[in-house]
mmCIF file of all heavy atoms in Angstrom:
data_model
loop_
_atom_site.group_PDB
_atom_site.id
_atom_site.type_symbol
_atom_site.label_atom_id
_atom_site.label_comp_id
_atom_site.label_asym_id
_atom_site.label_seq_id
_atom_site.Cartn_x
_atom_site.Cartn_y
_atom_site.Cartn_z
ATOM 1 N N ILE A 590 -0.830 29.117 -33.354
ATOM 2 C CA ILE A 590 -1.064 27.759 -32.883
ATOM 3 C C ILE A 590 -0.912 27.758 -31.366
ATOM 4 O O ILE A 590 -0.114 28.524 -30.807
ATOM 5 C CB ILE A 590 -0.076 26.757 -33.535
ATOM 6 C CG1 ILE A 590 -0.496 25.312 -33.271
ATOM 7 C CG2 ILE A 590 1.354 27.015 -33.085
ATOM 8 C CD1 ILE A 590 0.308 24.286 -34.067
ATOM 9 N N GLY A 591 -1.708 26.927 -30.696
ATOM 10 C CA GLY A 591 -1.619 26.827 -29.245
ATOM 11 C C GLY A 591 -2.653 27.668 -28.531
ATOM 12 O O GLY A 591 -3.556 28.250 -29.141
ATOM 13 N N ASP A 592 -2.514 27.754 -27.219
ATOM 14 C CA ASP A 592 -3.487 28.415 -26.352
ATOM 15 C C ASP A 592 -2.881 29.711 -25.807
ATOM 16 O O ASP A 592 -2.068 29.688 -24.875
ATOM 17 C CB ASP A 592 -3.861 27.466 -25.210
ATOM 18 C CG ASP A 592 -5.035 27.972 -24.376
ATOM 19 O OD1 ASP A 592 -5.186 29.206 -24.271
ATOM 20 O OD2 ASP A 592 -5.770 27.130 -23.822
ATOM 21 N N ALA A 593 -3.275 30.834 -26.406
ATOM 22 C CA ALA A 593 -2.694 32.132 -26.017
ATOM 23 C C ALA A 593 -3.064 32.493 -24.583
ATOM 24 O O ALA A 593 -2.209 32.957 -23.805
ATOM 25 C CB ALA A 593 -3.162 33.215 -26.982
ATOM 26 N N LYS A 594 -4.303 32.272 -24.224
ATOM 27 C CA LYS A 594 -4.778 32.668 -22.894
ATOM 28 C C LYS A 594 -4.072 31.883 -21.794
ATOM 29 O O LYS A 594 -3.584 32.464 -20.808
ATOM 30 C CB LYS A 594 -6.295 32.464 -22.808
ATOM 31 C CG LYS A 594 -6.924 33.011 -21.542
ATOM 32 C CD LYS A 594 -8.444 32.875 -21.599
ATOM 33 C CE LYS A 594 -9.089 33.421 -20.316
ATOM 34 N NZ LYS A 594 -10.585 33.280 -20.366
ATOM 35 N N ALA A 595 -3.978 30.566 -21.964
ATOM 36 C CA ALA A 595 -3.327 29.733 -20.948
ATOM 37 C C ALA A 595 -1.834 30.042 -20.857
ATOM 38 O O ALA A 595 -1.254 30.038 -19.762
ATOM 39 C CB ALA A 595 -3.541 28.256 -21.266
ATOM 40 N N THR A 596 -1.214 30.323 -21.999
ATOM 41 C CA THR A 596 0.215 30.630 -21.996
ATOM 42 C C THR A 596 0.486 31.959 -21.302
ATOM 43 O O THR A 596 1.431 32.082 -20.501
ATOM 44 C CB THR A 596 0.753 30.641 -23.433
ATOM 45 O OG1 THR A 596 0.438 29.404 -24.069
ATOM 46 C CG2 THR A 596 2.266 30.834 -23.450
ATOM 47 N N ASP A 597 -0.322 32.957 -21.577
ATOM 48 C CA ASP A 597 -0.171 34.256 -20.901
ATOM 49 C C ASP A 597 -0.359 34.108 -19.395
ATOM 50 O O ASP A 597 0.367 34.728 -18.595
ATOM 51 C CB ASP A 597 -1.178 35.261 -21.458
ATOM 52 C CG ASP A 597 -0.811 35.748 -22.851
ATOM 53 O OD1 ASP A 597 0.368 35.616 -23.234
ATOM 54 O OD2 ASP A 597 -1.704 36.263 -23.557
ATOM 55 N N ALA A 598 -1.319 33.277 -18.996
ATOM 56 C CA ALA A 598 -1.556 33.058 -17.566
ATOM 57 C C ALA A 598 -0.364 32.382 -16.907
ATOM 58 O O ALA A 598 0.022 32.718 -15.781
ATOM 59 C CB ALA A 598 -2.819 32.212 -17.380
ATOM 60 N N ALA A 599 0.244 31.422 -17.615
ATOM 61 C CA ALA A 599 1.419 30.735 -17.071
ATOM 62 C C ALA A 599 2.582 31.698 -16.892
ATOM 63 O O ALA A 599 3.307 31.641 -15.887
ATOM 64 C CB ALA A 599 1.819 29.587 -17.998
ATOM 65 N N ILE A 600 2.765 32.585 -17.846
ATOM 66 C CA ILE A 600 3.853 33.568 -17.750
ATOM 67 C C ILE A 600 3.596 34.529 -16.591
ATOM 68 O O ILE A 600 4.514 34.868 -15.821
ATOM 69 C CB ILE A 600 3.992 34.319 -19.088
ATOM 70 C CG1 ILE A 600 4.516 33.348 -20.170
ATOM 71 C CG2 ILE A 600 4.905 35.533 -18.963
ATOM 72 C CD1 ILE A 600 4.428 33.878 -21.578
ATOM 73 N N LYS A 601 2.357 34.938 -16.440
ATOM 74 C CA LYS A 601 2.005 35.881 -15.366
ATOM 75 C C LYS A 601 2.231 35.277 -13.978
ATOM 76 O O LYS A 601 2.673 35.956 -13.047
ATOM 77 C CB LYS A 601 0.543 36.301 -15.521
ATOM 78 C CG LYS A 601 0.117 37.405 -14.571
ATOM 79 C CD LYS A 601 -1.308 37.859 -14.866
ATOM 80 C CE LYS A 601 -1.726 38.992 -13.917
ATOM 81 N NZ LYS A 601 -3.124 39.438 -14.202
ATOM 82 N N ALA A 602 1.974 33.962 -13.875
ATOM 83 C CA ALA A 602 2.091 33.304 -12.570
ATOM 84 C C ALA A 602 3.469 32.715 -12.304
ATOM 85 O O ALA A 602 3.689 32.126 -11.248
ATOM 86 C CB ALA A 602 1.035 32.193 -12.486
#
Side-chain angles (χ1 to χ4, degrees):
I590 192 171
D592 189 330
K594 188 175 180 180
T596 305
D597 287 340
I600 292 168
K601 187 175 181 180

